[in-house]
Amino acid sequence: MSLDWIYYAISWILLRWHALWDAIGVPDGRVLGTNWAWILGILFLVVTLRVILFPVFVKQIKSQRAMQALQPKVKALQEKHKGDRETLQKEMMELYRTEKANPLMGCLPMFLQIPVFFGLFHVLQHLDPSISDKYKQLYGWSLEQFNSAADAHLFNAPISAKFGSSTAELAALGANGTTVKVLAGILVLIMMATTFLTSRQMILKTGWAEDPQQKMIQRLMLYGIPFSLLISGALFPIGVVIYWVTNNLFTLAQQQWVLRKFPPVQMAGAKTSSSARPATSGGRGINNPVQPARTGGLFGKKSAPEPVSPVVDTKALAPKPGAKPVNPKKATRPANKPKR
């Protein structure tokens, strides 16, 4: 299947943003060694794509919440059909259909971003000044736009250069190898850190999965993917790394907002705070009577709590049926002193 439509779409959005910043007056030439119109074009390419995918992201969170709420029922089905995988799968699918939960929805935003990432990777990788003018005008680029983007820099490092660029590639770009490696290395480390933080933020809010396989996937997402970027990041053009870092920062802010609006489901059997404990009328719990509140004394000092009178069990003090009544006066009369 041809991915040209993705390359055209990515190029169109990037070129529109560049044209907007250029029209506003952002300098297209280098300022502090940076062509800011192209850098801002990449940053707002991320914003555009994330705004488009935002409804899908909300559906992802809602699907995750629905799956969390169904965990007790899923465990009950697993216990009921233990050893009968075929019946278990049918019952699980019926449960998801009845409750309108989709397990695949949790991965949909990530799958939708994969072709976007590879599209941008291809477009930026295509910005090679050594190719012929015929190929420079692919995907809706004019010759002038291509030459301007191919010459775009971030702090004197071309955005099409990579940490692992060869000496010949750097010479074709007219770049300094040390500058490219330092800047690309810093950006790759930031990319790894922000990738780790996005996964960590979600896990801290939703909690670790109880299922061993799901927990293993969570650990892979938390530690495996950031570590893999240490190697694969050397193959990414600087422009792609800028896209990735911006995307991660946007994700951190977006997740924080969505997790507040759609908080994780409180599972049954989970520890609850003291404020969430059930109480009877009058503000007293069944087995934990509420103590009198401490009032502030002079100069804000806390006064000692008022003593609580002991509870007397009147049933235990009542005479048993058939027992001889006792005269309380005789019971409390002092014993006669012995005669001398």
Side-chain angles (χ1 to χ4, degrees), residues 2-324:
S2 176
L3 296 178
D4 284 354
W5 65 275
I6 295 179
Y7 305 149
Y8 274 100
I10 295 296
S11 297
W12 186 86
I13 297 174
L14 180 58
L15 291 174
R16 297 290 76 75
W17 276 114
H18 173 264
L20 175 63
W21 294 118
D22 189 39
I24 290 175
V26 175
D28 204 21
R30 295 187 201 178
V31 177
L32 298 177
T34 303
N35 301 89
W36 293 106
W38 285 110
I39 300 301
L40 289 174
I42 296 175
L43 297 182
F44 279 83
L45 169 66
V46 176
V47 174
T48 303
L49 296 175
R50 293 311 299 263
V51 169
I52 294 173
L53 294 177
F54 183 74
V56 181
F57 183 79
V58 173
K59 287 184 178 180
Q60 174 196 15
I61 297 296
K62 288 183 177 180
S63 177
Q64 290 176 346
R65 298 295 176 266
M67 294 298 295
Q68 288 177 342
L70 288 178
Q71 284 305 306
K73 294 183 180 180
V74 170
K75 288 183 179 180
L77 288 176
Q78 290 173 343
E79 291 294 330
K80 181 179 179 181
H81 302 291
K82 193 173 183 179
D84 189 355
R85 179 168 295 183
E86 183 177 354
T87 304
L88 176 61
Q89 290 295 331
K90 291 181 179 179
E91 293 290 336
M92 294 272 285
M93 294 303 295
E94 180 63 23
L95 176 64
Y96 294 148
R97 187 187 66 80
T98 304
E99 300 293 338
K100 298 180 180 179
N102 188 357
L104 299 179
M105 184 58 71
C107 302
L108 185 58
M110 182 181 66
F111 288 142
L112 290 177
Q113 290 187 65
I114 289 176
V116 174
F117 171 78
F118 282 110
L120 181 65
F121 183 90
H122 178 81
V123 169
L124 292 179
Q125 187 76 12
H126 181 68
L127 297 176
D128 184 0
S130 62
I131 64 176
S132 64
D133 292 347
K134 176 183 177 181
Y135 293 103
K136 290 179 180 180
Q137 300 180 58
L138 291 176
Y139 315 132
W141 290 73
S142 68
L143 190 60
E144 182 183 358
Q145 289 170 334
F146 184 94
N147 291 331
S148 175
D151 192 49
H153 286 64
L154 175 65
F155 302 123
N156 295 318
I159 62 174
S160 56
K162 306 181 290 290
F163 182 89
S165 293
S166 64
T167 305
E169 291 173 337
L170 292 173
L173 294 172
N176 181 279
T178 303
T179 302
V180 169
K181 289 187 182 301
V182 170
L183 181 64
I186 293 174
L187 288 174
V188 167
L189 291 177
I190 296 174
M191 178 175 65
M192 292 173 60
T194 51
T195 301
F196 172 80
L197 290 175
T198 53
S199 298
R200 181 176 178 271
Q201 181 189 54
M202 184 64 72
I203 292 175
L204 289 179
K205 292 290 184 180
T206 59
W208 288 94
E210 296 183 4
D211 182 70
Q213 293 182 349
Q214 294 182 359
K215 193 171 184 178
M216 182 178 66
I217 294 175
Q218 285 181 321
R219 290 187 181 277
L220 178 63
M221 295 287 290
L222 184 62
Y223 301 109
I225 293 181
F227 181 76
S228 67
L229 294 176
L230 184 63
I231 300 173
S232 60
L235 305 176
F236 296 161
I238 290 176
V240 173
V241 182
I242 294 172
Y243 168 86
W244 194 311
V245 171
T246 307
N247 186 68
N248 285 345
L249 295 175
F250 197 96
T251 301
L252 282 169
Q254 186 174 266
Q255 282 184 173
Q256 183 67 23
W257 182 85
V258 173
L259 289 171
R260 284 185 179 182
K261 189 171 180 62
F262 304 100
V265 178
Q266 184 66 42
M267 302 301 294
K271 294 181 180 181
T272 57
S273 61
S274 58
S275 60
R277 291 175 183 170
T280 59
S281 60
R284 294 179 180 268
I286 299 175
N287 297 320
N288 186 22
V290 179
Q291 299 295 332
R294 295 184 178 183
T295 57
L298 189 61
F299 303 114
K301 295 182 179 180
K302 295 181 179 180
S303 59
E306 297 178 3
V308 181
S309 57
V311 179
V312 180
D313 191 351
T314 55
K315 291 184 178 181
L317 297 179
K320 295 181 180 180
K324 186 177 180 180

